């Protein structure tokens, strides 16, 4: 079967990715495509551990978190039941809310970017998105949207960090523009 497209939505917190993923999935489904929408951190045991760290239930160093995301992403790709590679094989168009550019931006903001890129190279060699869609908003607007209806904020959700992450997205998009479709 002809391989379907793999699309990744990217951006800082509050940029509206989940809404765009949902709208695109609805449009493609209406056009007759079989669509698999997915997200990172995933809902696997590794993803759940990451969410516990973000919600302050568990403590971990940011380098450990970067490593957990590498493992979560590999499972997201390779899982035999509902992994992305399997879904593409079955003929689904796959849309993911975050992929390795999120790691480059969020972890590259706090540790050497080249390490983060190298640590994700297995995933990149297995599957590069046919398109990375980057939603570019200001950190101020992102933080405003996030704080609506929330009583507490997650680990990376500070204005200062969102500014660092946005700068890193800009840097890494420029750095990889010849190898990636953005
Ligand atoms: P997010 O898309 O905001 O999920 P939700 O809407 O369910 O909160 O992602 C959660 C956080 O995970 C977000 O702050 C970015 C962070 N993140 C990383 O730090 N590294 C990564 O590799 C990924 C995929 C996400």
């Amino acid at each position: 079967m002809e391989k379907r497209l793999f699309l990744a939505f990217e951006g800082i917190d509050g940029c509206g990715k989940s809404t765009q993923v949902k709208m695109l999935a609805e449009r493609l489904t209406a056009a007759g495509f079989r669509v698999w929408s997915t997200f990172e951190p995933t809902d696997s045991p590794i993803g759940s551990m990451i969410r516990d760290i973000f919600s302050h239930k568990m403590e971990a160093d940011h380098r450990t978190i970067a490593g957990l995301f590498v493992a979560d992403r590999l499972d997201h790709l390779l899982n035999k039941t509902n992994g992305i590679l399997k879904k593409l094989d079955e003929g689904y168009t796959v849309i993911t809310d975050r992929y390795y550019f999120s790691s480059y931006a969020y972890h590259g903001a706090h540790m050497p970017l080249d390490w983060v890129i190298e640590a994700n190279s297995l995933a990149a060699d297995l599957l590069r998105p046919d398109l990375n869609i980057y939603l570019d908003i200001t950190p101020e607007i992102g933080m405003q949207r996030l704080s609506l209806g929330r009583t507490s904020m997650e680990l990376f959700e500070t204005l200062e960090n969102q500014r660092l992450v946005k700068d890193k997205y800009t840097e890494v998009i420029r750095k990889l523009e010849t190898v990636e479709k953005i």
Side-chain angles (χ1 to χ4, degrees), residues 80-96:
K80 290 204 169 77
T81 317
N82 56 7
I84 294 173
L85 293 175
K86 174 144 198 290
K87 289 291 165 188
L88 286 169
D89 254 7
E90 289 172 356
Y92 285 90
T93 296
V94 178
I95 309 175
T96 184

Side-chain angles (χ1 to χ4, degrees), residues 54-56 146-147 149-155 157:
F54 282 169
S55 60
H56 310 282
L146 276 192
S147 54
R150 288 266 203 102
T151 49
S152 66
M153 301 303 272
E154 293 189 341
L155 194 64
E157 296 174 347

Side-chain angles (χ1 to χ4, degrees), residues 12-18 41 51 54-56 97-98 106 141-159 162:
I12 60 172
D13 291 272
C15 71
K17 288 175 292 83
S18 355
R51 288 186 192 279
F54 282 169
S55 60
H56 310 282
D97 182 337
R98 298 197 180 283
Y106 281 81
I141 291 179
M143 286 301 288
Q144 251 172 38
R145 286 187 190 161
L146 276 192
S147 54
L148 289 175
R150 288 266 203 102
T151 49
S152 66
M153 301 303 272
E154 293 189 341
L155 194 64
F156 290 140
E157 296 174 347
T158 63
L159 182 58
Q162 295 300 309

